[in-house]
Amino acid sequence: MGDVKAEVRAVAEAARAASAKLAQTSARERDGALRAMAAALRAQAGAIVAANARDMEAARAKGTADSLLDRLMLDAGRIEGMASALEDLAALPDPVGRVREERVLENGIALSRVSVPLGVVAVVYEARPNVTADAAGICLKSGNAAVLRGGSMAAASNEAIARVLHDAATAAGMPRGCVGLVSSADRAAADALMELHGVVDVLIPRGGAGLIRRCVEHSKVPVIETGTGNCHVYVHETADADKARAIVLNAKCRRFGVCNAAETLLVDRSIARSFLPETMTALAREGVTLHCDDEARDCAAWAADAAARAGVEVRFDCAEEDDWATEYLAPELAVKCVEGVDAAIDHVNRYGTRHSEAIVADPQVPAGAQAIEAFLARVDAAAVYANASTAFTDGGQFGLGAEIGISTQKLHARGPFALEALTSYKYVLRGDGQVRA
């Protein structure tokens, strides 16, 4: 325990020293470092993939779920995506030094509010090694030093990526310690980071509900909470069936193990028998198991009979109360029939995690337009969609560059957050001898 605490403090204090120097670097210098980091990822892709292969082999030996293996896996394409994301960051406007407000006070003092880095940003995450590159890049672009603590499942991958990024950044003129990795994946390492108030300026947990809850409840360092994603797609009775079906399949099946994947399908009772059987069969072809309320279960039984003749197995069971509140991160989907938009909104606000929610309805007819506006106005979530998949909740898709997380809280950041959320501001005041009476 003592060794873990000592390691964590050493990495954090090196980051603290680096942060003071980073705050004085120019946008041109930081952008040059980001491009150098991207080039280094490409040059060292073989070594990173080899390290990832060791993590994948160990994870498979432990019987890790396919959805988690998908999060863990790196190949040449994903490393290219990490490198491209760093280059995209370099092309974005500098978030540091922006003048957000200027005015002259009654006493003649000129006041301006200027964006500044937060300082030292610690990111605690689990099975996604790409977070190592995303977090390091976003922190560097915004003038912050990064302290990274990944999970044990991706230990070799994270170490390889962090070493490549740090060496490239320092070779490009950034201070040593600007990208620090805590090698210990022990829970004690995360606990030690939470204790470093005054050294670490903000802590960002990325992972499952247990990790996030532990950080929120125990950290002495301010936390930006990245929430779980119990996301819904609600199909209104006016929806175009083909459009709705495509949105449901994309929101659920594009990638099962991501936080913007739909976990519950709500369908107006009036269209359940016409919409659900074909949709359930399509979901079954993607390997999705359905947890249904009574009405949806009847539709699933009907779909199962028809699908069996085509060689498709529709797997379904009776939903329990816990299903409505579950983030599956797997090929599973809860299905419920509701009596109109008000019931859908009530269900989403009761069971959702304030992440991403979607309605599919026809905006060209009054009932559909009214349902859309009610859903968008009354659903409490970081992102609400009309006639689009929840899969778009992503920093890159929102034009923010690589995201550092998706926040479901309301203070200081909400939704996909990146550069802007990793800056604070200070007031700069210029006077001419004024004194206060």
Side-chain angles (χ1 to χ4, degrees):
M1 180 65 174
D3 290 344
V4 171
K5 281 191 171 184
E7 179 201 357
V8 170
R9 178 168 283 278
V11 173
E13 288 183 344
R16 191 78 197 169
S19 70
K21 298 175 182 177
L22 274 173
Q24 305 305 313
T25 57
S26 68
R28 182 176 180 180
E29 290 169 330
R30 295 194 303 277
D31 290 342
L34 288 169
R35 294 188 182 97
M37 292 157 69
L41 285 177
R42 293 188 179 104
Q44 297 296 321
I48 295 170
V49 169
N52 181 252
R54 296 195 295 274
D55 288 331
M56 290 289 290
E57 182 180 0
R60 289 193 188 98
K62 294 178 180 177
T64 303
D66 287 344
S67 58
L68 286 178
L69 289 174
D70 178 59
R71 287 185 170 201
L72 175 63
M73 189 272 292
L74 293 177
D75 56 16
R78 290 190 176 181
I79 292 173
E80 174 58 34
M82 290 158 54
S84 296
L86 292 175
E87 291 173 333
D88 291 344
L89 278 172
L92 291 174
D94 183 16
V96 180
R98 289 178 52 198
V99 178
R100 301 183 180 183
E101 178 186 6
E102 285 184 297
R103 52 194 168 92
V104 178
L105 304 180
E106 290 185 3
N107 55 28
I109 295 175
L111 176 149
S112 58
R113 188 160 57 98
V114 182
S115 61
V116 296
L118 292 175
V120 177
V121 177
V123 186
V124 180
Y125 52 104
E126 293 178 331
R128 286 187 179 179
N130 65 291
V131 175
T132 303
D134 289 349
I138 293 167
C139 288
L140 189 68
K141 173 74 178 185
S142 53
N144 295 290
V147 176
L148 310 175
R149 184 272 187 185
S152 58
M153 191 181 299
S157 307
N158 291 335
E159 185 174 353
I161 295 167
R163 181 174 62 252
V164 167
L165 295 177
H166 182 265
D167 290 350
T170 54
M174 296 297 102
R176 296 196 64 80
C178 60
V179 177
L181 179 75
V182 175
S183 60
S184 173
D186 193 293
R187 174 188 280 187
D191 291 345
L193 271 176
M194 296 181 212
E195 295 285 328
L196 294 180
H197 185 271
V199 179
V200 174
D201 292 289
V202 66
L203 177 71
I204 302 172
R206 284 192 61 171
L211 170 67
I212 295 165
R213 184 170 58 251
R214 182 171 182 80
C215 291
V216 169
E217 292 176 355
H218 297 284
S219 180
K220 295 179 181 178
V221 175
V223 174
I224 299 178
E225 181 179 351
T226 58
T228 53
N230 184 22
C231 306
H232 300 71
V233 175
Y234 163 53
V235 181
H236 186 256
E237 63 183 3
T238 64
D240 176 274
D242 290 337
K243 180 185 293 183
R245 192 169 295 114
I247 288 172
V248 170
L249 286 168
N250 182 258
K252 176 69 247 183
C253 303
R254 178 182 171 273
R255 288 183 69 184
F256 295 123
V258 292
C259 61
N260 57 21
E263 305 291 20
T264 298
L265 170 62
L266 304 174
V267 178
D268 270 347
R269 185 167 286 121
S270 59
I271 61 166
R273 290 190 177 275
S274 61
F275 177 75
L276 279 177
E278 186 175 342
T279 302
M280 289 171 157
T281 301
L283 287 163
R285 289 194 180 98
E286 300 295 330
V288 177
T289 298
L290 306 169
H291 308 291
C292 307
D293 74 351
D294 290 343
E295 291 173 85
R297 186 177 55 183
D298 291 342
C299 294
W302 184 17
D305 289 340
R309 292 191 288 273
V312 177
E313 181 186 4
V314 177
R315 296 187 297 275
F316 65 97
D317 59 26
C318 183
E320 305 289 342
E321 177 67 18
D322 287 349
D323 284 303
W324 311 126
T326 297
E327 182 188 29
Y328 296 109
L329 298 174
E332 299 180 62
L333 182 70
V335 186
K336 183 178 180 66
C337 298
V338 295
E339 193 63 56
V341 65
D342 289 340
I345 292 170
D346 288 346
H347 182 98
V348 170
N349 284 340
R350 177 177 178 183
Y351 294 104
T353 54
R354 307 306 188 246
H355 192 293
S356 300
E357 310 292 356
I359 179 174
V360 188
D362 187 348
Q364 302 304 316
V365 300
Q370 291 168 10
I372 287 171
E373 295 311 314
F375 190 92
L376 297 181
R378 291 164 48 196
V379 165
D380 182 12
V384 287
Y385 293 85
N387 296 314
S389 169
T390 57
F392 287 104
T393 304
D394 173 85
Q397 293 294 318
F398 281 20
L400 303 175
E403 70 187 29
I404 200 163
I406 296 176
S407 171
T408 56
Q409 64 190 49
K410 298 181 181 181
L411 300 174
H412 141 77
R414 196 175 202 199
F417 66 97
L419 302 176
E420 193 78 20
L422 292 190
T423 63
S424 183
Y425 56 84
K426 64 181 176 184
Y427 290 101
V428 178
L429 299 108
R430 301 178 188 275
D432 186 29
Q434 287 92 337
V435 294
R436 184 173 175 179

